[in-house]
């Protein structure tokens, strides 16, 4: 066997062994950060090290600092664990080492993005004509969508923002819910719009945008160019904004609707939850993640835009050495803020093939049902579930803020499962997110038991 084959097999076996261990090992363990640094602190030897030794060293050094977020009982943030075919496709992506800049550099990478992008639009209920940029995640997808919005609104006002920049440009406001994801603010900073352009809209009891307040905010500055940033999937409660109403109100004032649907857009993939994102197809741009609910390995988000030409105008570039024939449609890097880039389409394509339409629907339904199981179990034990569990997020109080923080910490240390804490409506709460394909009812029951055990300790 040649050296590359040997070492790839070895790495794959190490990865598979690690994944197998996740169902039984403590989800998180106390980490000695100093020891971890020391383990990685090998000097840069002049002669270098043979590859097999390098990989063994890496496995040994990283092991104590790996978090079992790919396992069945990790309920922190909103992360899933990568599906088998998507994981293997990602390993192939690395092996093939393609540059997905364009169809000259990697015809296969671009074809996979096109095919997977088409299936994603079907599942998410988006227009078939929308463009799709395969980006690094929700943050990048929000930046891409807001860049397209900026491009379009200024162009309509006779201002070429790509050439003239923002100094002296017409006034633009970004109307967004007060419970928007923090990445929206970072996108605005990166795009030069700055966070002062934000006009916050109140959230209703569920954490969704209050459309009456939106009416008030929109009416306040009738002459400003307007981006409305809606949300499918409140990061705390999972609530989805009333997209149909928001699109109607925004378009009536000539505005652009961007939907941050990093995880919540997947509600569209199931008949049981589709109503939560009713009207989604009317928006102008959408951000969604592959590496959350679709369970694709990290480095995977999608930036969709209803106007492909605007999308490419906002982000693409050209240079004399680029050989994309004029006839080639835009794709690849044209829809992202990157140049050389990973061939992200393969892993998404594999995840969608592995699950099929029914599998995606079932994954969404199962995670929602498991979230309700968490809520029922903890309510039955006398704890306070404070959100309406419409999707995959559950917020739980265990008494005072200090008590809730202590319970969350005790649950993390117990190691049966991992959950984080959040502040919502001024109250400290345990935040449970069910997004992984590997989680079963038994995992939830075991986790609820661990939570109750810790919460009842004096
Ligand atoms: C996770 C998340 C983001 C950011 O996505 P990344 O993939 O972490 O970049 C943006 N918005 C919402 C609503 C999210 O849940």
């Amino acid at each position: 066997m040649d050296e590359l084959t040997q070492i790839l097999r070895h790495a794959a076996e190490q990865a598979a062994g690690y994944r197998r261990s996740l169902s039984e090992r403590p989800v998180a363990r106390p980490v000695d950060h100093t020891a971890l640094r020391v383990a990685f602190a090998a000097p840069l030897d002049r002669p270098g090290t043979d590859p097999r030794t390098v990989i063994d060293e890496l496995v040994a050094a990283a092991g104590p600092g790996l978090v079992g977020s790919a396992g069945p009982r990790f309920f922190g943030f909103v992360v899933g664990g990568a599906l088998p075919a998507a994981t293997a496709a990602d390993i192939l992506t690395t092996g093939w080492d393609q540059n997905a800049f364009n169809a000259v550099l990697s015809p296969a990478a671009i074809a996979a993005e096109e095919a997977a992008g088409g299936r994603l639009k079907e599942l998410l209920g988006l227009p078939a004509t929308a463009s799709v940029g395969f980006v690094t995640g929700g943050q990048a997808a929000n930046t891409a969508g807001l860049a397209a919005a900026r491009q379009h609104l200024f162009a309509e006002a006779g201002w070429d923002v790509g050439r003239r920049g923002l100094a002296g440009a017409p006034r633009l406001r970004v109307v967004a819910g007060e419970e928007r994801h923090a990445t929206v603010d970072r996108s605005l900073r990166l795009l030069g719009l700055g966070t002062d352009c934000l006009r916050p809209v109140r959230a209703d009891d569920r954490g969704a945008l209050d459309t009456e307040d939106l009416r008030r905010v929109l009416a306040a500055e009738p002459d400003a160019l307007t981006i409305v940033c809606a949300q499918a999937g409140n990061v705390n409660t999972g609530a989805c904004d009333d997209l149909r109403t928001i699109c109607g109100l925004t378009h009536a004032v000539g505005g652009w609707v961007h939907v941050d649907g990093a995880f919540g857009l997947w509600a569209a993939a199931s008949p049981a939850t589709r109503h939560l994102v009713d009207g989604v197809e009317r928006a102008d741009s959408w951000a969604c993640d592959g590496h959350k609910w679709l369970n694709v390995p990290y480095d995977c988000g999608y930036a969709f835009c209803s106007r492909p030409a605007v999308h490419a105008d906002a982000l693409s570039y050209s240079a004399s050495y680029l050989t994309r024939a004029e006839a080639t449609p835009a794709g690849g890097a044209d829809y992202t803020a990157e140049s050389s880039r990973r061939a992200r389409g393969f892993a998404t394509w594999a995840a969608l093939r592995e699950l099929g339409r029914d599998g995606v629907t079932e994954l969404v339904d199962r995670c929602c049902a498991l979230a309700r199981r968490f809520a029922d179990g903890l309510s039955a034990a006398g704890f306070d579930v404070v959100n309406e569990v419409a999707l995959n997020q559950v917020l739980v109080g265990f008494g005072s803020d200090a008590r809730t923080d202590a319970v969350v910490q005790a649950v993390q240390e117990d190691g049966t499962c991992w959950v984080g804490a959040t502040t919502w409506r001024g109250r400290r709460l345990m935040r449970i997110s069910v997004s992984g394909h590997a989680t079963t009812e038994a995992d939830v029951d075991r986790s609820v038991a661990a939570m109750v055990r810790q919460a009842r300790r004096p």
Side-chain angles (χ1 to χ4, degrees):
M1 228 194 296
D2 66 285
E3 186 179 54
L4 184 62
T5 305
Q6 271 182 31
I7 196 170
L8 287 178
R9 281 197 181 175
H10 181 52
E13 276 163 15
Q14 290 292 327
Y18 168 75
R19 289 288 189 89
R20 267 198 309 279
S21 77
L22 288 180
S23 58
E24 288 317 317
R25 63 162 247 183
V27 179
R29 292 188 278 221
V31 177
D32 179 344
H33 293 276
T34 306
L36 203 53
R37 258 182 234 116
V38 169
F40 276 103
L44 205 50
D45 286 337
R46 293 197 63 181
T49 307
D50 84 280
R52 168 73 187 227
T53 306
V54 172
I55 292 308
D56 286 339
E57 284 178 2
L58 178 59
V59 168
L66 296 176
V67 172
S69 52
R73 291 186 307 283
F74 188 89
F75 307 107
F77 308 94
V78 189
V79 307
L83 290 156
T87 302
D90 207 49
I91 289 174
L92 269 178
T93 303
T94 298
W96 287 334
D97 199 17
Q98 299 291 286
N99 184 339
F101 176 73
N102 66 11
V104 173
L105 265 164
S106 183
I110 302 304
E113 288 188 359
E114 274 174 23
R119 299 297 87 75
L120 288 170
K121 286 182 278 181
E122 289 169 23
L123 285 165
L124 300 174
L126 305 182
T129 49
S131 44
V132 192
F134 281 69
V135 294
T136 51
Q139 169 79 72
N142 278 337
T143 306
L146 293 169
R150 184 183 75 150
Q151 181 78 18
H152 179 71
L153 293 173
F154 281 130
E156 287 211 311
W159 186 270
D160 180 353
V161 70
R163 194 168 54 81
R164 301 176 77 176
L166 290 167
R171 200 156 46 89
L172 185 145
R173 60 180 171 167
V174 177
V175 177
E178 60 184 357
E179 296 191 14
R180 66 186 173 276
H181 196 271
T183 50
V184 169
D185 297 46
R186 176 150 72 175
S187 295
L188 296 177
R189 277 164 30 214
L190 293 173
L191 290 167
L193 294 168
T195 49
D196 275 358
C197 76
L198 277 164
R199 302 287 179 271
V201 179
R202 266 199 307 273
D204 66 16
D205 295 347
R206 299 171 303 125
L209 197 102
D210 178 336
T211 50
E212 278 314 308
D213 198 46
L214 175 63
R215 278 177 218 273
R216 180 189 64 79
V217 171
L218 286 177
E221 292 164 276
D223 300 329
L225 305 178
T226 303
I227 299 171
V228 172
C229 194
Q231 187 168 251
N234 176 300
V235 279
N236 284 312
T237 64
C240 296
D241 293 350
D242 176 351
L243 299 174
R244 184 174 295 281
T245 301
I246 291 169
C247 289
L249 293 173
T250 306
H251 291 153
V253 299
W256 176 291
V257 179
H258 172 73
V259 180
D260 176 3
F263 67 93
L265 222 49
W266 290 102
S270 164
T273 45
R274 194 170 293 152
H275 63 281
L276 298 172
V277 290
D278 175 56
V280 66
E281 72 286 352
R282 301 190 171 201
D284 302 284
S285 57
W286 304 263
C288 189
D289 261 322
H291 57 212
K292 286 181 178 170
W293 215 344
L294 188 59
N295 287 240
V296 173
Y298 286 100
D299 205 37
C300 184
Y302 317 113
F304 301 93
C305 183
S306 66
R307 295 175 184 75
V310 171
H311 191 168
D313 275 353
L315 294 174
S316 68
Y317 75 93
S318 195
S320 56
Y321 55 83
L322 296 177
T323 50
R324 179 159 76 78
E326 281 315 307
T328 320
D334 293 330
Y335 293 138
T336 74
E338 297 158 24
S339 182
S340 296
R341 49 194 287 275
R342 184 171 181 78
R344 300 193 180 97
F346 296 133
T348 294
W349 184 89
L352 295 176
R353 289 289 297 156
E354 179 174 3
L355 293 170
R357 178 181 282 279
D358 290 351
V360 175
T361 303
E362 200 266 333
L363 174 61
V364 170
D365 288 346
R366 176 159 33 96
C367 288
C368 293
L370 292 174
R372 286 193 299 274
R373 194 175 180 92
F374 260 117
D376 292 345
L378 291 166
S379 297
F383 302 109
D384 191 11
V385 174
V386 305
N387 67 318
E388 178 196 331
V389 183
L391 214 56
N392 60 336
Q393 307 289 113
V394 189
L395 298 175
V396 195
F398 291 86
S400 69
D401 286 358
R403 182 72 193 152
T404 297
D405 276 335
V407 171
V408 169
Q409 197 186 335
V411 168
Q412 290 175 355
E413 283 166 9
D414 166 81
T416 304
C417 65
W418 202 94
V419 284
T422 189
T423 301
W424 190 64
R425 305 283 158 93
R427 188 172 169 197
R428 294 295 289 163
L429 297 164
M430 177 187 280
R431 176 171 177 253
I432 303 169
S433 171
V434 189
S435 323
H437 71 92
T439 304
T440 63
E441 290 186 347
D443 288 311
V444 171
D445 295 347
R446 226 169 120 179
S447 302
V448 169
M451 291 168 181
V452 170
R453 195 165 62 235
Q454 296 305 329
R456 287 191 179 149
R457 271 194 355 196

